[in-house]
Amino acid sequence: MTTDPKADATFERFKARIDALKSAPPLEKARTFLKSYCALNSKLSDVEEQIRHALGFNSIPLWTGIEGLETVLSDKQLPASTLVSLVRDDANRKELPATPEAARQYLEQVLGLLREYLPKQPEGEGVVSFGIDEVYNLRDPAGKLERLRCIDAVGVEKQSFAVLVPEHASEDQGPFTVYRYQSVLGQPLQYDRVTDAGLIAKVLKVSQS
């Protein structure tokens, strides 16, 4: 299996941007969302369409957007001029009145769209069933929660295995995580993370053949 330095560099830049966005202050999260999803869309219906599209490949900017907007709109100490700037400059809504009332109304409409398409609570931890291209919150051996995407399910030595990669990682380059699972009708899915290097190699060989 070969590695592509350009692809690795692109992924690292993408991961760095996402990590920076997650740790940004709420106001910056709101600004980033408005610039990315509203500034180039003249109508709310276009903003809605872009939100729906983003759900299919990367919902993190939507979660940070909703977090930023909720904090901004609930901050009673936020200057009125900041609200106006968010809408007229960051969201590029120059046609709206330069008043905090008009700005708040627009931001609440955008927030309403986000709430409509994102569940009220983030996804839970664990697996109900392994499905191709589904993303799961699972803990690594150190106990840290990570988001893994299932890219294959194969049978090896009469056992069932799921092959996963980090949510936005390459399906060809990994890094790969393997889970052994057993499905029994009427019972919760039983699964465990495979740590045996030899077994992992066998599973990946079948998956990549």
Side-chain angles (χ1 to χ4, degrees):
M1 184 168 55
T2 60
T3 60
D4 182 346
K6 290 184 178 179
D8 289 344
T10 298
F11 172 72
E12 288 303 321
R13 287 195 297 271
F14 173 79
K15 184 176 182 299
R17 288 198 301 269
I18 291 298
D19 290 343
L21 180 58
K22 286 180 177 179
S23 59
L27 182 59
E28 188 59 34
K29 289 178 179 178
R31 282 191 166 130
T32 299
F33 176 83
L34 293 171
K35 289 176 181 177
S36 300
Y37 288 81
C38 300
L40 299 179
N41 294 312
S42 60
K43 298 182 295 184
L44 280 173
S45 59
D46 295 329
V47 176
E48 179 179 13
E49 182 60 31
Q50 191 171 348
I51 289 173
R52 292 174 59 187
H53 176 68
L55 285 171
F57 67 92
N58 180 20
S59 64
I60 293 175
L62 305 184
W63 281 112
T64 55
I66 199 171
E67 178 186 342
L69 289 171
E70 284 179 339
T71 302
V72 164
L73 288 170
S74 64
D75 185 356
K76 299 186 183 303
Q77 304 301 318
L78 192 74
S81 59
T82 301
L83 277 181
V84 174
S85 175
L86 280 170
V87 173
R88 290 178 61 83
D89 298 332
D90 298 307
N92 195 29
R93 288 300 185 275
K94 299 289 195 300
E95 75 278 5
L96 293 178
T99 64
E101 293 77 17
R104 180 174 293 277
Q105 181 181 29
Y106 177 78
L107 294 176
E108 287 176 344
Q109 288 176 315
V110 173
L111 181 58
L113 287 178
L114 284 167
R115 286 173 172 162
E116 181 179 348
Y117 284 97
L118 273 67
K120 294 186 182 301
Q121 297 293 332
E123 300 156 338
E125 180 182 338
V127 176
V128 176
S129 64
F130 284 107
I132 304 301
D133 216 31
E134 294 292 327
V135 178
Y136 306 97
N137 290 316
L138 294 162
R139 295 193 180 276
D140 66 13
K144 181 180 178 182
L145 200 62
E146 56 184 350
R147 287 176 62 79
L148 299 176
R149 177 167 55 91
C150 181
I151 62 171
D152 203 3
V154 299
V156 177
E157 298 177 353
K158 297 183 179 181
Q159 293 182 305
S160 298
F161 298 88
V163 180
L164 302 96
V165 297
E167 183 177 10
H168 302 294
S170 164
E171 294 187 9
D172 298 323
Q173 299 178 31
F176 302 100
T177 299
V178 174
Y179 273 85
R180 174 177 28 228
Y181 68 92
Q182 182 179 11
S183 179
V184 179
L185 186 64
Q187 297 182 17
L189 184 73
Q190 299 178 26
Y191 57 92
D192 64 288
R193 188 173 185 136
V194 178
T195 57
D196 182 271
L199 182 54
I200 291 174
K202 288 181 181 179
V203 173
L204 293 180
K205 183 177 179 180
V206 173
S207 176
Q208 295 166 357
S209 62

